[in-house]
């Protein structure tokens, strides 16, 4: 791949309908209709696409490849003959999302409990003094909390916040997922596909990230139903 590849900064959106199948002969991804479509100034361009393969690790990490036997070019960005792209992305089942939510809310409940304890400790520490009629003097309303206890509470609060944020980061945000879920081979329930998957092009020595991809399940909804991603 030349160093000047994609230097114009122009976008090259490709649209294709794909079908993922598994069989004894292997996992195959096929472009329905056998083509890919994109637009240039003169109008729509339709080019052929060869079947590729796909794999799924941990029921989450999806990777697949597709090959373009003919040259594709748009606004100075080019994919030469027999270029193969490698796509990587993440799948989330409804069960996955529910489990991630449960883990997050469990961590949040722990954080809320510790925050309440720290708040109560502060309230007691800053409470106004009361008058002792026996000794005729003002005295603290509650016993002093030791420095070690206060430090321990703050440490637990800090750690709980880190755990909660860590669990939150594991959950994909709704706008990061496909609008709808669909079936996928080998998975017993529908899945959502996370947007922003990576597209790589293999060079002479290493692969290079050339873009991102997203997908929606194929259904009867009009194209305007979906929010544009570019």
């Amino acid at each position: 791949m030349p160093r000047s590849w994609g230097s114009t900064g122009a976008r090259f959106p490709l649209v294709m309908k794909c079908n993922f199948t598994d069989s004894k002969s292997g996992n195959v991804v096929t472009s329905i209709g056998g083509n890919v479509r994109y637009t240039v100034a003169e109008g729509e361009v339709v080019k052929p696409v060869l079947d590729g393969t796909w794999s799924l690790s941990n029921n989450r990490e999806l990777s697949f490849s597709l090959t373009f036997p003919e040259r594709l070019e748009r606004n100075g960005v080019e994919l030469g003959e027999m270029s193969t792209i490698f796509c990587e992305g993440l799948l989330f089942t409804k069960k996955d999302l529910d489990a991630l939510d449960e883990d997050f809310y469990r961590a949040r409940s722990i954080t809320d409990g510790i925050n309440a304890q720290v708040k109560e400790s502060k309230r007691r520490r800053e409470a106004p003094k009361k008058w002792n009629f026996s000794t005729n003097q003002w005295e603290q309303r509650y016993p002093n909390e030791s420095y070690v206890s206060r430090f321990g509470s703050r440490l637990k609060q800090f750690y709980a916040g880190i755990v909660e944020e860590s669990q939150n980061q594991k959950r994909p945000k709704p706008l990061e997922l496909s609008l709808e879920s669909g079936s996928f081979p080998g998975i017993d329930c529908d899945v959502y596909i996370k947007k922003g998957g990576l597209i790589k092009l293999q060079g002479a020595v290493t692969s290079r990230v050339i873009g991102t991809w997203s997908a929606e399940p194929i259904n009867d909804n009009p194209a305007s139903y979906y929010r544009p991603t570019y």
Side-chain angles (χ1 to χ4, degrees):
M1 183 187 303
R3 297 179 64 87
S4 60
W5 191 92
S7 60
T8 63
R11 298 178 64 85
F12 197 165
L14 301 176
V15 179
M16 69 184 86
K17 294 182 178 181
C18 293
N19 188 32
F20 292 81
T21 58
D22 57 346
S23 63
K24 293 181 179 179
S25 59
N27 298 335
V28 179
V29 56
T30 304
S31 171
I32 299 175
N35 56 53
V36 60
R37 299 171 181 269
Y38 60 95
T39 57
V40 294
E42 294 77 17
E44 185 181 53
V45 177
V46 181
K47 294 286 188 176
V49 181
L50 301 181
D51 294 351
T53 58
W54 64 269
S55 63
L56 186 64
S57 301
N58 304 318
N59 262 22
R60 178 72 55 81
E61 300 164 4
L62 173 66
S63 61
F64 62 94
S65 63
L66 290 166
T67 299
F68 306 111
E70 297 183 8
R71 174 176 172 271
L72 280 64
E73 193 275 334
R74 180 180 186 271
N75 294 339
V77 181
E78 175 185 339
L79 291 174
E81 295 181 0
M82 298 307 295
S83 291
T84 299
I85 59 172
F86 299 88
C87 301
E88 301 174 353
L90 298 176
L91 305 183
F92 291 89
T93 67
K94 186 63 168 62
K95 295 177 182 178
D96 291 336
L97 297 175
D98 289 343
L100 290 171
D101 283 342
E102 288 180 6
D103 291 342
F104 168 72
Y105 288 120
R106 187 181 302 112
R108 170 173 280 185
S109 67
I110 294 175
T111 303
D112 289 344
I114 294 175
N115 287 341
Q117 293 175 8
V118 171
K119 185 177 180 180
E120 174 62 15
S121 175
K122 181 180 179 182
R123 185 193 69 80
R124 293 167 65 93
R125 188 170 60 253
E126 296 178 352
K129 293 183 178 181
K130 65 179 181 179
W131 180 256
N132 189 322
F133 290 94
S134 300
T135 60
N136 290 323
Q137 60 183 4
W138 294 100
E139 59 182 31
Q140 288 184 322
R141 192 171 296 269
Y142 303 101
N144 283 326
E145 182 182 11
S146 69
Y147 173 79
V148 173
S149 176
R150 288 171 57 186
F151 178 78
S153 296
R154 288 293 185 180
L155 190 62
K156 288 193 294 183
Q157 184 183 41
F158 176 74
Y159 177 73
I162 292 177
V163 172
E164 178 185 337
E165 181 59 25
S166 175
Q167 293 296 337
N168 188 41
Q169 291 298 322
K170 294 178 182 179
R171 301 188 307 159
K173 297 178 177 61
L175 290 179
E176 295 176 339
L177 297 175
S178 56
L179 285 177
E180 294 189 6
S181 60
S183 60
F184 196 88
I187 299 181
D188 61 1
C189 63
D190 285 355
V191 303
Y192 293 87
I193 295 181
K194 187 175 182 181
K195 299 176 183 177
L198 299 181
I199 302 175
K200 297 182 179 180
L201 188 64
Q202 183 64 45
V205 179
T206 59
S207 61
R208 176 180 176 183
V209 176
I210 62 171
T212 61
W213 67 277
S214 61
E216 290 288 344
I218 297 174
N219 52 34
D220 296 328
N221 289 329
S224 60
Y225 173 81
Y226 298 108
R227 290 186 295 268
T229 56
Y230 56 88

